[in-house]
Amino acid sequence: MELRSSGVGSPAVGRRMDGDSRDGGGGGGKDAGSEDYENLPTSASVSTHMTAGAMAGILEHSVMYPVDSVKTRMQSLNPDPKAQYTSIYGALRKIMRTEGFWRPLRGLNVMVMGAGPAHAMYFACYENMKRTLNDVFNHQGNSHLANGIAGSMATLLHDAVMNPAEVVKQRMQMYNSQHRSALSCVRTVWRTEGLGAFYRSYTTQLTMNIPFQSIHFITYEFLQEQVNPHRGYNPQSHIISGGLAGALAAAATTPLDVCKTLLNTQENMALSLANVSGRLSGMANAFRTVYQLNGLAGYFKGIQARVIYQMPSTAISWSVYEFFKYILTKHQLDSRTPF
């Protein structure tokens, strides 16, 4: 991503913000518009990546949270007759009418608390790993393999923070949940199931998110090469690339998301029907249980809600992230004292 006063289609001036100087750029002119950008830092700082990432994560999850609540409900393997939905709009309308206007937002606070630090580490790790691996694999070129590996490594940090928040959030989203607050949910789970309950789905989460993020980042970077070859700050390109990348990755990994939801929520009725005693653990067990209860179709429960959630979600995330990275790096540049 570049900071420059010209449009995306114009020649590059100065260095790219992500530390990649592939866009030659020469020296540029000495007019007032371009001179400000000749001495760009070779890369945005780690604190810039973390701040921009935190803002992206918080806004992404806050804006899309009601749809996420519907997705969790629609992935239920044995839903209560009062909690069966055929569409996202219909589900939101029914939930607000029968359970209260604010019901789709229950659990949002714990999600925001997790999303900030999780996305801060996520984007900082991705940017630095991407830059390092691109140098190794492609001599400062854009390697899709490097982007995929960087996304996978960033996911390890992200999910370590987000998994407990996901457990609490999804239990509060379920129909007729016994938990009225995030704190009471944490206390109840800790007391009745122990610390391990917060990471019961961690391996499944990684098994889902590593391919998800690999597809996501590879697709995003590929689309950026097509629609924004100079990699300047271009909001439209970030929205389009982010949305399409998220939709593709979401559709491909829906079966794993269904299994993760089952492990997080531990649906009592579903487990009873599957003759599962105690707590369900492990991805293999979750896969068998989903198939036992709903067959192949069970792996794609909520796919529409998942894609509709992820498409704008990743579009918001990338556009907000690139915006704050641009603004913070520009501020860093502008605050330099000229000699």
Side-chain angles (χ1 to χ4, degrees), residues 32-54:
S34 63
E35 189 171 10
D36 290 341
Y37 299 99
E38 281 195 302
N39 297 316
L40 283 175
T42 55
S43 65
S45 65
V46 173
S47 62
T48 294
H49 292 312
M50 294 186 75
T51 302

Side-chain angles (χ1 to χ4, degrees), residues 100-166:
F101 182 80
W102 299 108
R103 184 63 181 86
L105 295 179
R106 183 181 293 176
L108 175 61
N109 56 343
V110 73
M111 181 51 57
V112 168
M113 289 173 63
H119 279 71
M121 292 188 291
Y122 170 72
F123 277 107
C125 177
Y126 172 71
E127 292 279 14
N128 285 277
M129 288 293 296
K130 179 182 74 170
R131 184 167 60 249
T132 300
L133 292 174
N134 271 315
D135 289 345
V136 172
F137 292 155
N138 215 28
H139 306 292
Q140 294 189 339
N142 184 36
S143 165
H144 294 306
L145 177 60
N147 297 335
I149 294 174
S152 299
M153 296 300 294
T155 300
L156 294 174
L157 289 175
H158 173 272
D159 287 3
V161 175
M162 282 297 287
N163 207 85
E166 282 278 343

Side-chain angles (χ1 to χ4, degrees), residues 300-327:
F300 295 94
K301 288 177 73 70
I303 186 171
Q304 180 189 28
R306 179 166 164 77
V307 170
I308 291 176
Y309 168 78
Q310 287 292 350
M311 192 170 186
S313 180
T314 47
I316 292 169
S317 181
W318 276 109
S319 58
V320 171
Y321 173 71
E322 298 282 12
F323 170 76
F324 276 99
K325 190 166 76 167
Y326 170 81
I327 291 297

Side-chain angles (χ1 to χ4, degrees), residues 84-296:
Q84 294 183 353
Y85 316 105
T86 57
S87 70
I88 293 174
Y89 174 74
L92 281 172
R93 186 176 176 182
K94 184 176 180 179
I95 291 170
M96 289 189 290
R97 186 178 69 249
T98 61
E99 302 175 50
F101 182 80
W102 299 108
R103 184 63 181 86
L105 295 179
R106 183 181 293 176
L108 175 61
N109 56 343
V110 73
M111 181 51 57
V112 168
M113 289 173 63
H119 279 71
M121 292 188 291
Y122 170 72
F123 277 107
C125 177
Y126 172 71
E127 292 279 14
N128 285 277
M129 288 293 296
K130 179 182 74 170
R131 184 167 60 249
T132 300
L133 292 174
N134 271 315
D135 289 345
V136 172
F137 292 155
N138 215 28
H139 306 292
Q140 294 189 339
N142 184 36
S143 165
H144 294 306
L145 177 60
N147 297 335
I149 294 174
S152 299
M153 296 300 294
T155 300
L156 294 174
L157 289 175
H158 173 272
D159 287 3
V161 175
M162 282 297 287
N163 207 85
E166 282 278 343
V167 171
V168 175
K169 178 260 295 185
Q170 289 197 307
R171 293 196 182 208
M172 296 182 69
Q173 288 174 331
M174 292 297 286
Y175 176 74
N176 206 23
S177 172
Q178 62 176 311
H179 309 293
R180 299 304 174 197
S181 71
L183 184 58
S184 69
C185 182
V186 171
R187 287 173 174 168
T188 300
V189 173
W190 184 292
R191 185 178 65 254
T192 59
E193 301 176 48
L195 178 62
F198 295 104
Y199 284 94
R200 188 178 285 122
S201 66
Y202 183 57
T203 54
T204 301
Q205 183 103 329
L206 288 178
T207 305
M208 177 186 73
N209 280 347
I210 286 176
F212 175 93
Q213 298 300 353
S214 296
I215 295 170
H216 170 206
F217 281 116
I218 289 172
T219 305
Y220 179 81
E221 298 287 356
F222 171 77
L223 291 173
Q224 281 290 286
E225 286 182 338
Q226 308 308 308
V227 301
N228 186 17
H230 294 293
R231 304 305 294 271
Y233 173 61
N234 185 315
Q236 294 88 347
S237 78
H238 303 316
I239 292 171
I240 293 170
S241 299
L244 292 176
L248 178 62
T253 57
T254 296
L256 292 163
D257 192 45
V258 172
C259 295
K260 181 209 74 172
T261 297
L262 177 60
L263 289 171
N264 276 345
T265 58
Q266 297 289 317
E267 286 181 68
N268 292 327
M269 289 298 295
L271 298 185
S272 297
L273 288 174
N275 294 318
V276 175
S277 58
R279 301 292 175 182
L280 185 69
S281 62
M283 184 182 67
N285 290 331
F287 260 93
R288 281 195 293 269
T289 303
V290 171
Y291 184 79
Q292 180 180 348
L293 291 174
N294 294 101
L296 289 176

